[in-house]
């Protein structure tokens, strides 16, 4: 570890012509440095395609993300001695109420999506393999859950088996909903509907929003990819579902109401898909019981918050 830090530190002088001193490790791949004037910098080890992503966003005029410093080779990413990393200013943040920060995060995600829109036709050739993979994954997970529940049905009730058996019905409700939503999404694909592909941030946690002199910016944009905005919205919701926020008003009415029903159905599908993936089946029953409780609570929130606004539209399409 120390040897790797020394390599990074020496290359900073070479590629950025700034004598920097290592301060501390912030995460598994991130570090803090300072220069001779005590100005602080943030260094993050990042994948090789990071520079291309930032150049792509720059070419589209995206101005609500923090861009890394360009090195002497005019690249956002520095590749040297087996390492690839970027350097940017380190910004200290004041504490902001989580509900306010969540609203700000959603606003900036929406700006990012609107600035990077590419209209494309849904392709069954591209969508089929992905949905086959998801279907197999869900079938396998539901089978494991079903077998586990059956195994404890024959045991005496105890403090761990009771919440598992009592909450299994909500997982079955999610399964039924997933099947329905997947059929609708497949119908959209078959109809070759045109949808908006955007640059999705892909890691919309509140930690990835900075406020600099009253202006909000997204960070860690290198984790993003071209996709459908519903993915960011689903991850954003699950990151913040415990906050005191009217998510139906914030997400459904403000963002999805004027779009094709596809986006809302895909959003709901992704929320449930991610939740089911979170379920832990362990030999330690207390872990499984807690997982069933947590995921079931989230499923109940989902059904009470996100009504099936597209039901009538779907029924008309199928008739």
């Amino acid at each position: 570890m120390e040897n790797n830090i020394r390599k990074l530190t020496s290359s900073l002088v070479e590629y950025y012509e700034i004598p920097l001193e290592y301060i501390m490790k912030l995460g598994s791949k991130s570090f803090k440095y300072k220069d001779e004037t005590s100005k602080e910098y943030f260094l993050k080890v990042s994948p090789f395609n990071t520079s291309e992503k930032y150049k792509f966003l720059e070419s589209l005029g995206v101005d609500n993300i923090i861009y890394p410093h360009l090195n002497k080779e005019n690249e956002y990413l520095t590749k040297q001695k087996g390492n690839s990393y970027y350097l940017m200013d380190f910004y200290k943040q004041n504490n902001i109420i989580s509900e306010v920060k969540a609203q700000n995060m959603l606003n900036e995600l929406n700006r990012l999506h609107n600035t990077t829109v590419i209209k494309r036709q849904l392709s069954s050739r591209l969508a089929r393999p992905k949905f086959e993979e998801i279907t197999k994954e869900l079938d396998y997970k539901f089978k494991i859950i079903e077998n586990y529940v059956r195994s404890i049905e024959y045991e005496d009730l105890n403090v761990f088996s009771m919440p598992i058996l009592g909450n299994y019905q909500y997982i079955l409700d999610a399964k039924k909903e997933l099947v329905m939503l997947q059929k609708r999404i497949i119908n959209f694909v078959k109809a070759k509907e045109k949808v908006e592909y955007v640059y999705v941030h892909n890691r919309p946690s509140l930690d990835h929003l900075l406020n600099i002199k009253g202006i909000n910016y997204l960070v860690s944009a290198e984790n993003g990819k071209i996709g459908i905005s519903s993915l960011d919205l689903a991850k954003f919701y699950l990151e913040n579902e415990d906050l005191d926020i009217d998510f139906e008003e914030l997400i459904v009415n403000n963002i999805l109401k004027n779009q094709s029903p596809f986006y809302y159905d895909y959003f709901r599908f992704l929320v449930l898909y991610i939740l089911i993936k979170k379920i832990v089946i362990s030999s330690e029953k207390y872990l499984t019981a807690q997982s069933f409780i947590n995921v079931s609570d989230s499923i109940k929130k989902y059904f009470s918050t996100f009504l099936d606004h597209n039901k009538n539209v779907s029924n008309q399409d199928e008739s």
Side-chain angles (χ1 to χ4, degrees):
M1 176 66 187
E2 291 182 2
N3 185 48
N4 191 40
I5 290 174
R6 282 197 297 270
K7 288 181 179 179
L8 290 173
T9 304
S10 63
S11 67
L12 284 170
V13 177
E14 178 183 353
Y15 282 87
Y16 295 91
E17 299 177 342
I18 307 174
L20 294 175
E21 176 187 345
Y22 171 72
I23 300 178
M24 63 184 293
K25 185 177 181 180
L26 298 172
S28 61
K29 297 180 179 180
S30 57
F31 310 88
K32 186 194 286 189
Y33 283 79
K34 68 178 180 179
D35 64 14
E36 296 171 333
T37 66
S38 294
K39 180 180 178 180
E40 294 179 332
Y41 295 83
F42 175 82
L43 182 148
K44 185 175 181 181
V45 177
S46 195
F48 285 158
N49 62 349
T50 292
S51 194
E52 286 70 26
K53 289 184 178 182
Y54 279 107
K55 287 180 178 179
F56 169 73
L57 293 171
E58 184 182 41
S59 71
L60 293 177
V62 176
D63 60 3
N64 67 328
I65 66 170
I66 299 293
Y67 289 89
H69 289 295
L70 290 168
N71 61 25
K72 68 178 184 179
E73 296 176 348
N74 207 37
E75 294 288 344
Y76 285 119
L77 189 74
T78 297
K79 304 174 185 177
Q80 200 258 349
K81 296 181 180 178
N83 292 306
S84 59
Y85 63 88
Y86 64 75
L87 185 73
M88 61 173 54
D89 292 343
F90 181 86
Y91 299 96
K92 293 180 181 177
Q93 294 294 290
N94 297 319
N95 291 328
I96 300 176
I97 297 172
S98 295
E99 283 78 6
V100 174
K101 197 168 185 179
Q103 173 72 72
N104 293 339
M105 165 63 84
L106 194 59
N107 290 341
E108 298 312 317
L109 288 174
N110 202 25
R111 282 186 62 199
L112 174 65
H113 298 160
N114 290 337
T115 310
T116 58
V117 171
I118 304 171
K119 200 97 170 180
R120 291 181 184 172
Q121 191 177 72
L122 287 170
S123 168
S124 58
R125 179 180 62 84
L126 297 176
R128 185 181 297 111
K130 181 62 177 177
F131 265 96
E132 287 178 353
E133 177 186 342
I134 290 174
T135 300
K136 288 179 181 178
E137 188 177 0
L138 285 172
D139 286 346
Y140 179 71
K141 190 63 178 277
F142 281 122
K143 192 67 176 177
I144 290 176
I145 295 170
E146 180 184 353
N147 290 340
Y148 182 82
V149 171
R150 285 181 176 178
S151 72
I152 65 172
E153 282 178 334
Y154 297 100
E155 301 176 4
D156 293 334
L157 289 177
N158 56 56
V159 68
F160 301 129
S161 63
M162 288 178 65
I164 293 172
L165 295 174
N167 285 288
Y168 182 48
Q169 59 177 312
Y170 302 112
I171 295 171
L172 292 177
D173 289 341
K175 180 180 180 180
K176 182 179 179 182
E177 180 93 339
L178 279 164
V179 170
M180 179 272 293
L181 290 170
Q182 186 169 12
K183 287 179 179 178
R184 287 191 189 173
I185 293 167
I186 289 173
N187 285 336
F188 281 116
V189 174
K190 287 180 178 178
K192 297 181 178 180
E193 180 164 332
K194 281 192 174 182
V195 299
E196 293 180 348
Y197 284 81
V198 301
Y199 190 85
V200 294
H201 185 279
N202 209 26
R203 302 279 179 86
S205 68
L206 298 190
D207 290 339
H208 290 157
L209 182 75
L210 301 184
N211 185 279
I212 304 170
K213 296 181 179 179
I215 301 175
N216 294 309
Y217 295 92
L218 298 169
V219 294
S220 294
E222 71 276 3
N223 295 309
K225 61 182 181 179
I226 297 299
I228 294 171
S229 60
S230 303
L231 176 61
D232 266 349
L233 297 179
K235 289 185 174 182
F236 167 83
Y237 166 70
L238 290 172
E239 283 272 352
N240 302 289
E241 63 172 320
D242 292 329
L243 297 182
D244 185 17
I245 293 175
D246 184 347
F247 283 104
E248 182 178 23
E249 176 67 22
L250 197 62
I251 295 177
V252 182
N253 293 340
N254 286 347
I255 294 180
L256 296 175
K257 67 176 180 179
N258 293 323
Q259 297 185 345
S260 159
F262 165 79
Y263 298 95
Y264 184 47
D265 283 345
Y266 191 43
F267 161 78
R268 292 159 65 214
F269 178 87
L270 289 170
V271 169
L272 291 177
Y273 169 62
I274 294 170
L275 284 174
I276 295 302
K277 285 180 64 177
K278 285 184 177 181
I279 296 176
V280 175
I281 303 297
S282 170
S283 57
E284 301 289 346
K285 288 185 179 178
Y286 75 94
L287 292 176
T288 302
Q290 190 60 56
S291 178
F292 267 59
I293 293 170
N294 292 342
V295 171
S296 294
D297 284 347
S298 292
I299 290 172
K300 285 183 278 187
K301 286 180 185 176
Y302 161 90
F303 278 109
S304 64
T305 304
F306 302 113
L307 304 177
D308 190 2
H309 301 296
N310 299 336
K311 185 174 182 179
N312 292 334
V313 175
S314 178
N315 289 339
Q316 291 173 6
D317 292 340
E318 293 172 3
S319 61

